[in-house]
């Protein structure tokens, strides 16, 4: 991993000639991702992010923390104990520089601390699951990190709308696998990461997987094709 996302975050924080990131997927064209978007404050966040941050309680694990904007709000405004976790070393360095007291650069599957009251996975939090083939591994890990009365707040988007619709109201979707399984590529300053697997889930598919792995699940908020879900232990 070249850690291009982390490098962009690092460059922006240090005002070292930052450029916008570019992203693309196996079903979408190149798109600009302004780096300053990753540094937005609470008022600039979308409804789903704001709802999740308001619902957070107790000891919090922020998975995929990025530049740390969610963690900072919870630590500084909600006065909660927060651990920011991200696979990107550069991102975690910036989290620390921004004042996050506990920030860890590690894959969540290798993270050993547990007993969190709230686990956050935002900005298409289901993406980290990669594909339906391995979703059970991630959900079992999340189950082990969560306290007995804890909650997981996770968002995603049903991307069925991105596929062409036929005259009968059906959709032309790939026959080889689930339509939300994509290849995701990040570009920065002329360099490209290797494609990673990224998973968008419709709510019913997430519900089936969650219940199979010992969770109860409810939809907390729907915002157009995106939603926020809360998972708790059965």
């Amino acid at each position: 991993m070249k850690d291009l996302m982390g490098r962009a975050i690092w460059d922006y924080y240090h005002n070292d000639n930052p450029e916008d990131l570019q992203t693309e997927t196996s079903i979408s064209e190149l798109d600009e991702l302004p780096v300053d978007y990753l540094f937005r404050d609470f008022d600039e966040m979308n409804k789903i992010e704001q709802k999740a941050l308001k619902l957070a309680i107790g000891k919090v694990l922020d998975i995929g923390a990025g530049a740390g904007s969610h963690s900072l709000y919870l630590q500084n405004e909600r006065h909660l104990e927060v651990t920011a976790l991200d696979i990107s070393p550069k991102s975690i360095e910036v989290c620390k520089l921004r004042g996050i007291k506990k920030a860890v650069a590690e894959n969540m599957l290798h993270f050993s601390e547990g007993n969190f009251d709230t686990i956050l996975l935002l900005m298409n939090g289901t993406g980290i699951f990669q594909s339906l083939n391995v979703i059970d591994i991630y959900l079992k890990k999340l189950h082990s990190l969560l306290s007995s009365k804890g909650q997981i707040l996770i968002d995603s988007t049903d991307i069925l709308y991105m596929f062409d619709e036929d005259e009968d109201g059906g959709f032309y979707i790939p026959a080889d696998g689930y339509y939300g399984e994509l290849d995701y590529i990040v570009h920065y300053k002329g360099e490209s990461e290797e494609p990673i697997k990224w998973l968008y889930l419709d709510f019913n598919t997430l519900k089936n997987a969650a219940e199979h792995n010992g969770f109860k699940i409810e939809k907390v908020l729907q915002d157009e094709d995106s939603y926020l879900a809360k998972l708790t232990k059965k």
Side-chain angles (χ1 to χ4, degrees), residues 156-180:
S156 194
T157 300
D158 184 350
I159 62 168
L160 188 61
Y161 71 91
M162 296 182 69
F163 295 86
D164 292 331
E165 190 173 358
D166 64 28
E167 57 187 19
D168 297 321
F171 289 87
Y172 296 102
I173 58 176
D176 54 342
Y178 176 65
Y179 65 85

Side-chain angles (χ1 to χ4, degrees), residues 199-219:
L199 183 62
Y200 290 89
L201 282 177
D202 69 277
F203 179 75
N204 285 335
T205 301
L206 176 60
K207 182 176 184 289
N208 291 337
E211 291 176 344
H212 177 71
N213 285 281
F215 289 107
K216 293 182 289 184
I217 181 171
E218 63 176 293
K219 186 188 292 184

